[in-house]
Amino acid sequence: FEDELYAMLSWLDPSPSQSVLLLGCAGGMLVPPLAHAIYPGPLIAVESDIQQLQQVQQRCIEEGVDNAVLIHGDLAHPPVRNAGLDRMVMFGVLHGTNRPVKFVNEATVGLRPEGVVVGVSLARSILPRIASQQDRFGRSLGVRFLEMNEFGRDLCRDSFVQFQMDQPSNWMARFVVRKVVHTPRNGHPNGAHTAY
C-alpha cells in the first residue's frame, strides 16, 4: 500500500511552496509525506469521516506537520477558492459515486489551469471472473469499480488532457490528468473549446 502512495506522489510531482488539495485522507498515511514535500506550501486535506480526520490530526502531531489544514467537509464541494490550487489528490473518493466524471469536474474548480490531478480508485478488472466478483462486492457495499479507460476518455472530453493510468492490481488503479486551459470562443469570456 505504501508503494502505491509513493508511486502516486511521483506522478503528482509536488514542489516546495505549491498548494495542494487532498480529498480523502485514508487515515493520514499520505498527509505527512505530501505536506513535507510541499513545505512551506499549504496542504488542505478534506475528509467526510470525522474519525479518519482525528487519525490524520494525530499523525500530523506525531510527525511534526504544521502546514496541513484539516477540514471536515463535503468531498465533492471542497471549500476552496476557484483556480487557487496547484495540485489535487483524490484518494479513494471516486468509487462511492455513480458519476465520477461529474464528481471530478465539480471537485476541481479550485484547480488552476494546467494543474495536475492524481488519484487512486477501485478499478474494474479486465478479467471476467474477477469483474463479476467485483460487481457482487460492489453491490453489497454500495461502491463502484471504475472502468478506467472509459473514465479517462470521458474526463478528457472537456476539462482535462493527458490522462494516464496504471492498474497494478485487479482491484485498484492510479491515474494522473492535467486540467485544460480554456480560452474564450469568439471573444465571449464564458465560451470554451475542448483541447486534446
Side-chain angles (χ1 to χ4, degrees):
F1 196 63
E2 287 183 358
D3 289 346
E4 288 296 316
L5 293 179
Y6 284 98
M8 192 174 66
L9 273 179
S10 72
W11 281 16
L12 185 67
D13 192 24
S15 298
S17 297
Q18 284 183 331
S19 55
V20 177
L21 176 65
L22 170 62
L23 298 180
C25 292
M29 292 178 66
L30 188 58
V31 172
L34 184 51
H36 292 311
I38 64 169
Y39 186 84
L43 171 62
I44 302 163
V46 181
E47 176 57 64
S48 59
D49 183 327
I50 193 71
Q51 290 180 332
Q52 281 205 32
L53 208 56
Q54 290 168 344
Q55 291 175 1
V56 175
Q57 183 179 25
Q58 185 59 39
R59 192 173 286 238
C60 287
I61 291 168
E62 290 169 2
E63 300 200 26
V65 172
D66 61 5
N67 60 324
V69 178
L70 308 180
I71 298 172
H72 180 240
D74 181 359
L75 298 172
H77 302 97
V80 294
R81 275 184 276 173
N82 285 0
L85 300 162
D86 299 299
R87 301 281 190 266
M88 185 176 291
V89 179
M90 296 185 168
F91 195 85
V93 298
L94 297 177
H95 55 261
T97 177
N98 288 329
R99 303 183 69 189
V101 172
K102 183 175 187 275
F103 178 96
V104 172
N105 283 324
E106 290 177 358
T108 56
V109 296
L111 193 64
R112 290 186 175 123
E114 296 297 320
V116 174
V117 180
V118 300
V120 170
S121 181
L122 294 176
R124 187 171 179 81
S125 175
I126 60 169
L127 302 174
R129 181 178 56 82
I130 293 176
S132 67
Q133 291 174 352
Q134 290 173 330
D135 289 340
R136 288 192 302 275
F137 178 74
R139 280 193 301 274
S140 69
L141 292 182
V143 298
R144 182 172 186 254
F145 287 79
L146 294 185
E147 204 296 313
M148 293 305 290
N149 288 316
E150 179 183 311
F151 169 67
R153 280 192 304 272
D154 290 346
L155 205 54
C156 290
R157 290 186 198 282
D158 182 37
S159 301
F160 295 92
V161 292
Q162 300 174 350
F163 179 86
Q164 293 180 298
M165 71 91 166
D166 180 23
Q167 190 166 345
S169 78
N170 283 311
W171 293 83
M172 294 180 73
R174 57 183 170 253
F175 68 90
V176 61
V177 67
R178 184 174 298 275
K179 192 163 187 176
V180 173
V181 178
H182 278 139
T183 56
R185 180 188 288 167
N186 298 329
H188 298 290
N190 293 330
H193 73 280
T194 303
Y196 294 95

